[in-house]
Amino acid sequence: MPRSLCLTRQCLGLVTRIECMIRPLAGDNGRWTLLCAAGMSGAQPSAIRAQGPFYGPHAAEGVLAAIAESLLQQGYAECCEPPIWHLHLQAELRRVNGERHSHFTPFQHHPETDGQS
């Protein structure tokens, strides 16, 4: 399974586009995330979502494969065009990594004192 996917569907003259990619999370801890952007082709994405973390790339690839299968059943088709929302997905990955870092930092910013200092 590839680690990125682009699907489109044409309906009433409009083309809906979904781009997905899986990427490792910061920290080299074996966790991966699935990022998806959706919207009208030729415009900015109207929705960007992240799922995970998944433990290892194979778990994330399995979820991506299940999403792709579901979308193909709904009338989407694989798109051979280059991704147009890669930068939006990279920005979402930076946001997710920033949130994870701020919530799970191993050091206290203002350690408590024991009152004897």
Side-chain angles (χ1 to χ4, degrees):
M1 177 80 199
R3 294 191 175 163
S4 64
L5 179 67
C6 179
L7 300 169
T8 59
R9 180 176 72 176
Q10 192 168 23
C11 183
L12 302 174
L14 300 173
V15 179
T16 304
R17 181 183 193 95
I18 298 175
E19 292 184 17
C20 301
M21 70 180 191
I22 60 170
R23 293 291 185 263
L25 290 170
D28 198 29
N29 55 12
R31 294 183 193 170
W32 289 66
T33 189
L34 168 63
L35 304 156
C36 296
M40 303 309 294
S41 191
Q44 299 293 319
S46 57
I48 300 175
R49 300 286 185 267
Q51 285 188 310
F54 301 100
Y55 294 95
H58 297 296
E61 288 169 357
V63 173
L64 179 58
I67 290 171
E69 182 178 329
S70 175
L71 290 170
L72 289 170
Q73 291 175 357
Q74 295 176 44
Y76 282 84
E78 286 194 56
C79 178
C80 298
E81 297 173 9
I84 59 174
W85 296 328
H86 183 77
L87 293 177
H88 295 86
L89 293 173
Q90 285 294 117
E92 181 67 7
L93 179 60
R94 282 192 304 275
R95 187 193 64 76
V96 168
N97 279 328
E99 282 183 0
R100 293 187 58 75
H101 178 70
S102 67
H103 288 113
F104 297 106
T105 183
F107 302 105
Q108 290 181 316
H109 294 289
H110 302 286
E112 298 178 18
T113 60
D114 61 5
Q116 300 194 14
S117 305

